[in-house]
Amino acid sequence: MESGAPDDSGLTERERVERANTTFYEAMERGDLEAMSGLWLDGEDSGVSCVHPGWPVLSGRGEVLRSYALIMAHTEYIQFFLTDVAVSVSADTALVTCTENILSGGPAESGGELGPLVGQLVVATNVFRRTPEGWKLWSHHGSPVLTENGEEDAEADDVPPT
């Protein structure tokens, strides 16, 4: 266990995965790239991947961590309220699905105050691998949730012609 890491000896594997998932979002909220870096699988052949909403697939640890550095550098404030969290553990792999209720804001155009806050819903899948150092992120995929109008339009497109 890392120095300063919480003792998780009494936790189930599911609870350990939940803790790793929460730690991921807390690192984003703090803009802590060092902590974020420690959460991802390491190694050239780790197969790490990430899809941020609206972005192409990012492959490789370096590319993924650069994306988080970019996001953190351009986001003055971000907070995640996770709902619909589901955790599944099978051997050395764990899957977490959730809805990210995101509140974020950038710097104001003038002055030193926070710019306008924006809300967004994203559904996410986080895949973790068990390592000797604990559960590490292998893949993150976030997709935006369509607005009600978008959902209605999508449903209308699914109706077969009569």
Side-chain angles (χ1 to χ4, degrees), residues 1 5 12 23 31 36 40 45 50-51 66 72 81 88 115 152 158-159:
M1 181 175 12
T12 66
T23 301
M36 179 66 70
W40 285 85
D45 59 348
C50 180
V51 178
R66 275 190 296 281
M72 290 175 183
F81 301 95
S88 176
E152 291 169 4
D158 292 337
V159 177

PDB file of all heavy atoms in Angstrom, residues 1 5 12 23 31 36 40 45 50-51 66 72 81 88 115 152 158-159:
ATOM      1  N   MET A   1       0.847  -1.176   0.000  1.00  0.00           N
ATOM      2  CA  MET A   1       0.000   0.000   0.000  1.00  0.00           C
ATOM      3  C   MET A   1       0.890   1.235   0.000  1.00  0.00           C
ATOM      4  O   MET A   1       1.890   1.289   0.701  1.00  0.00           O
ATOM      5  CB  MET A   1      -0.911  -0.025   1.230  1.00  0.00           C
ATOM      6  CG  MET A   1      -1.826   1.137   1.269  1.00  0.00           C
ATOM      7  SD  MET A   1      -3.063   1.160   2.598  1.00  0.00           S
ATOM      8  CE  MET A   1      -2.629  -0.067   3.733  1.00  0.00           C
ATOM      9  N   ALA A   5      -2.047   6.214   1.606  1.00  0.00           N
ATOM     10  CA  ALA A   5      -3.241   5.620   0.992  1.00  0.00           C
ATOM     11  C   ALA A   5      -4.128   5.071   2.101  1.00  0.00           C
ATOM     12  O   ALA A   5      -3.642   4.565   3.111  1.00  0.00           O
ATOM     13  CB  ALA A   5      -2.849   4.517   0.021  1.00  0.00           C
ATOM     14  N   THR A  12     -14.430  -5.314   0.461  1.00  0.00           N
ATOM     15  CA  THR A  12     -14.622  -6.315  -0.595  1.00  0.00           C
ATOM     16  C   THR A  12     -13.977  -5.795  -1.878  1.00  0.00           C
ATOM     17  O   THR A  12     -13.670  -4.598  -1.990  1.00  0.00           O
ATOM     18  CB  THR A  12     -16.117  -6.562  -0.854  1.00  0.00           C
ATOM     19  OG1 THR A  12     -16.683  -5.361  -1.405  1.00  0.00           O
ATOM     20  CG2 THR A  12     -16.859  -6.974   0.411  1.00  0.00           C
ATOM     21  N   THR A  23     -11.961   7.848  -6.568  1.00  0.00           N
ATOM     22  CA  THR A  23     -10.664   8.527  -6.560  1.00  0.00           C
ATOM     23  C   THR A  23     -10.363   9.143  -7.918  1.00  0.00           C
ATOM     24  O   THR A  23      -9.798  10.240  -8.006  1.00  0.00           O
ATOM     25  CB  THR A  23      -9.549   7.549  -6.135  1.00  0.00           C
ATOM     26  OG1 THR A  23      -9.865   7.047  -4.826  1.00  0.00           O
ATOM     27  CG2 THR A  23      -8.195   8.222  -6.104  1.00  0.00           C
ATOM     28  N   GLY A  31      -8.077  18.734 -10.192  1.00  0.00           N
ATOM     29  CA  GLY A  31      -7.112  19.078 -11.231  1.00  0.00           C
ATOM     30  C   GLY A  31      -5.738  18.528 -10.906  1.00  0.00           C
ATOM     31  O   GLY A  31      -4.720  19.130 -11.223  1.00  0.00           O
ATOM     32  N   MET A  36      -3.963  11.636 -10.996  1.00  0.00           N
ATOM     33  CA  MET A  36      -4.581  11.011 -12.167  1.00  0.00           C
ATOM     34  C   MET A  36      -3.614  10.017 -12.804  1.00  0.00           C
ATOM     35  O   MET A  36      -3.994   8.905 -13.169  1.00  0.00           O
ATOM     36  CB  MET A  36      -4.998  12.084 -13.172  1.00  0.00           C
ATOM     37  CG  MET A  36      -5.641  11.557 -14.437  1.00  0.00           C
ATOM     38  SD  MET A  36      -7.234  10.741 -14.200  1.00  0.00           S
ATOM     39  CE  MET A  36      -8.259  12.134 -13.785  1.00  0.00           C
ATOM     40  N   TRP A  40      -3.913   5.207 -13.572  1.00  0.00           N
ATOM     41  CA  TRP A  40      -3.970   4.484 -14.847  1.00  0.00           C
ATOM     42  C   TRP A  40      -2.929   3.375 -14.896  1.00  0.00           C
ATOM     43  O   TRP A  40      -1.840   3.505 -14.337  1.00  0.00           O
ATOM     44  CB  TRP A  40      -3.751   5.450 -16.010  1.00  0.00           C
ATOM     45  CG  TRP A  40      -4.953   6.301 -16.259  1.00  0.00           C
ATOM     46  CD1 TRP A  40      -5.270   7.468 -15.633  1.00  0.00           C
ATOM     47  CD2 TRP A  40      -6.013   6.041 -17.168  1.00  0.00           C
ATOM     48  NE1 TRP A  40      -6.456   7.950 -16.103  1.00  0.00           N
ATOM     49  CE2 TRP A  40      -6.943   7.091 -17.054  1.00  0.00           C
ATOM     50  CE3 TRP A  40      -6.272   5.020 -18.080  1.00  0.00           C
ATOM     51  CZ2 TRP A  40      -8.114   7.153 -17.803  1.00  0.00           C
ATOM     52  CZ3 TRP A  40      -7.429   5.077 -18.828  1.00  0.00           C
ATOM     53  CH2 TRP A  40      -8.342   6.130 -18.692  1.00  0.00           C
ATOM     54  N   ASP A  45       2.628  -1.833 -23.110  1.00  0.00           N
ATOM     55  CA  ASP A  45       1.623  -2.714 -23.715  1.00  0.00           C
ATOM     56  C   ASP A  45       0.360  -2.831 -22.860  1.00  0.00           C
ATOM     57  O   ASP A  45      -0.354  -3.816 -22.934  1.00  0.00           O
ATOM     58  CB  ASP A  45       2.225  -4.096 -23.974  1.00  0.00           C
ATOM     59  CG  ASP A  45       2.737  -4.754 -22.703  1.00  0.00           C
ATOM     60  OD1 ASP A  45       2.841  -4.058 -21.664  1.00  0.00           O
ATOM     61  OD2 ASP A  45       3.029  -5.957 -22.741  1.00  0.00           O
ATOM     62  N   CYS A  50      -9.059   5.827 -23.944  1.00  0.00           N
ATOM     63  CA  CYS A  50      -9.996   6.786 -23.382  1.00  0.00           C
ATOM     64  C   CYS A  50     -10.788   7.436 -24.513  1.00  0.00           C
ATOM     65  O   CYS A  50     -10.229   7.753 -25.565  1.00  0.00           O
ATOM     66  CB  CYS A  50      -9.228   7.856 -22.599  1.00  0.00           C
ATOM     67  SG  CYS A  50     -10.277   9.112 -21.839  1.00  0.00           S
ATOM     68  N   VAL A  51     -12.081   7.625 -24.272  1.00  0.00           N
ATOM     69  CA  VAL A  51     -12.928   8.392 -25.185  1.00  0.00           C
ATOM     70  C   VAL A  51     -13.648   9.442 -24.353  1.00  0.00           C
ATOM     71  O   VAL A  51     -14.481   9.111 -23.510  1.00  0.00           O
ATOM     72  CB  VAL A  51     -13.958   7.510 -25.920  1.00  0.00           C
ATOM     73  CG1 VAL A  51     -14.843   8.368 -26.809  1.00  0.00           C
ATOM     74  CG2 VAL A  51     -13.273   6.419 -26.728  1.00  0.00           C
ATOM     75  N   ARG A  66      -2.066  13.087 -21.486  1.00  0.00           N
ATOM     76  CA  ARG A  66      -1.997  14.425 -22.107  1.00  0.00           C
ATOM     77  C   ARG A  66      -3.391  15.022 -22.248  1.00  0.00           C
ATOM     78  O   ARG A  66      -3.586  16.223 -22.061  1.00  0.00           O
ATOM     79  CB  ARG A  66      -1.298  14.358 -23.468  1.00  0.00           C
ATOM     80  CG  ARG A  66       0.217  14.430 -23.371  1.00  0.00           C
ATOM     81  CD  ARG A  66       0.888  14.615 -24.724  1.00  0.00           C
ATOM     82  NE  ARG A  66       0.685  13.491 -25.638  1.00  0.00           N
ATOM     83  CZ  ARG A  66       1.360  12.339 -25.586  1.00  0.00           C
ATOM     84  NH1 ARG A  66       2.283  12.158 -24.672  1.00  0.00           N
ATOM     85  NH2 ARG A  66       1.118  11.384 -26.456  1.00  0.00           N
ATOM     86  N   MET A  72      -7.653  19.638 -17.727  1.00  0.00           N
ATOM     87  CA  MET A  72      -7.439  20.302 -16.428  1.00  0.00           C
ATOM     88  C   MET A  72      -6.918  21.728 -16.597  1.00  0.00           C
ATOM     89  O   MET A  72      -7.302  22.623 -15.841  1.00  0.00           O
ATOM     90  CB  MET A  72      -6.469  19.475 -15.580  1.00  0.00           C
ATOM     91  CG  MET A  72      -7.059  18.171 -15.100  1.00  0.00           C
ATOM     92  SD  MET A  72      -5.790  17.202 -14.223  1.00  0.00           S
ATOM     93  CE  MET A  72      -6.711  15.714 -13.857  1.00  0.00           C
ATOM     94  N   PHE A  81     -21.239  14.626  -9.967  1.00  0.00           N
ATOM     95  CA  PHE A  81     -22.215  13.972  -9.108  1.00  0.00           C
ATOM     96  C   PHE A  81     -22.568  12.679  -9.832  1.00  0.00           C
ATOM     97  O   PHE A  81     -23.217  12.711 -10.890  1.00  0.00           O
ATOM     98  CB  PHE A  81     -23.463  14.843  -8.917  1.00  0.00           C
ATOM     99  CG  PHE A  81     -23.160  16.190  -8.318  1.00  0.00           C
ATOM    100  CD1 PHE A  81     -22.960  17.300  -9.128  1.00  0.00           C
ATOM    101  CD2 PHE A  81     -23.059  16.336  -6.940  1.00  0.00           C
ATOM    102  CE1 PHE A  81     -22.674  18.539  -8.577  1.00  0.00           C
ATOM    103  CE2 PHE A  81     -22.765  17.581  -6.386  1.00  0.00           C
ATOM    104  CZ  PHE A  81     -22.580  18.675  -7.207  1.00  0.00           C
ATOM    105  N   SER A  88     -19.266  -4.235 -11.470  1.00  0.00           N
ATOM    106  CA  SER A  88     -19.191  -5.674 -11.706  1.00  0.00           C
ATOM    107  C   SER A  88     -17.724  -6.077 -11.683  1.00  0.00           C
ATOM    108  O   SER A  88     -16.893  -5.442 -12.336  1.00  0.00           O
ATOM    109  CB  SER A  88     -19.820  -6.010 -13.057  1.00  0.00           C
ATOM    110  OG  SER A  88     -19.670  -7.380 -13.332  1.00  0.00           O
ATOM    111  N   GLY A 115     -16.056  31.834 -14.766  1.00  0.00           N
ATOM    112  CA  GLY A 115     -17.012  32.055 -15.854  1.00  0.00           C
ATOM    113  C   GLY A 115     -18.317  31.340 -15.568  1.00  0.00           C
ATOM    114  O   GLY A 115     -18.485  30.709 -14.525  1.00  0.00           O
ATOM    115  N   GLU A 152     -36.137  12.378 -28.414  1.00  0.00           N
ATOM    116  CA  GLU A 152     -37.364  12.229 -29.194  1.00  0.00           C
ATOM    117  C   GLU A 152     -37.047  12.085 -30.670  1.00  0.00           C
ATOM    118  O   GLU A 152     -37.623  11.257 -31.350  1.00  0.00           O
ATOM    119  CB  GLU A 152     -38.296  13.417 -28.963  1.00  0.00           C
ATOM    120  CG  GLU A 152     -38.879  13.440 -27.559  1.00  0.00           C
ATOM    121  CD  GLU A 152     -39.589  14.744 -27.245  1.00  0.00           C
ATOM    122  OE1 GLU A 152     -39.702  15.605 -28.133  1.00  0.00           O
ATOM    123  OE2 GLU A 152     -40.015  14.886 -26.103  1.00  0.00           O
ATOM    124  N   ASP A 158     -36.136   5.820 -35.262  1.00  0.00           N
ATOM    125  CA  ASP A 158     -36.148   4.364 -35.100  1.00  0.00           C
ATOM    126  C   ASP A 158     -37.484   3.750 -35.520  1.00  0.00           C
ATOM    127  O   ASP A 158     -37.607   2.534 -35.573  1.00  0.00           O
ATOM    128  CB  ASP A 158     -35.844   3.976 -33.653  1.00  0.00           C
ATOM    129  CG  ASP A 158     -34.419   4.312 -33.271  1.00  0.00           C
ATOM    130  OD1 ASP A 158     -33.566   4.422 -34.162  1.00  0.00           O
ATOM    131  OD2 ASP A 158     -34.148   4.440 -32.047  1.00  0.00           O
ATOM    132  N   VAL A 159     -38.491   4.581 -35.762  1.00  0.00           N
ATOM    133  CA  VAL A 159     -39.789   4.061 -36.135  1.00  0.00           C
ATOM    134  C   VAL A 159     -39.768   3.654 -37.592  1.00  0.00           C
ATOM    135  O   VAL A 159     -39.433   4.454 -38.470  1.00  0.00           O
ATOM    136  CB  VAL A 159     -40.897   5.116 -35.894  1.00  0.00           C
ATOM    137  CG1 VAL A 159     -42.247   4.594 -36.351  1.00  0.00           C
ATOM    138  CG2 VAL A 159     -40.920   5.525 -34.426  1.00  0.00           C
TER     139      VAL A 159
END
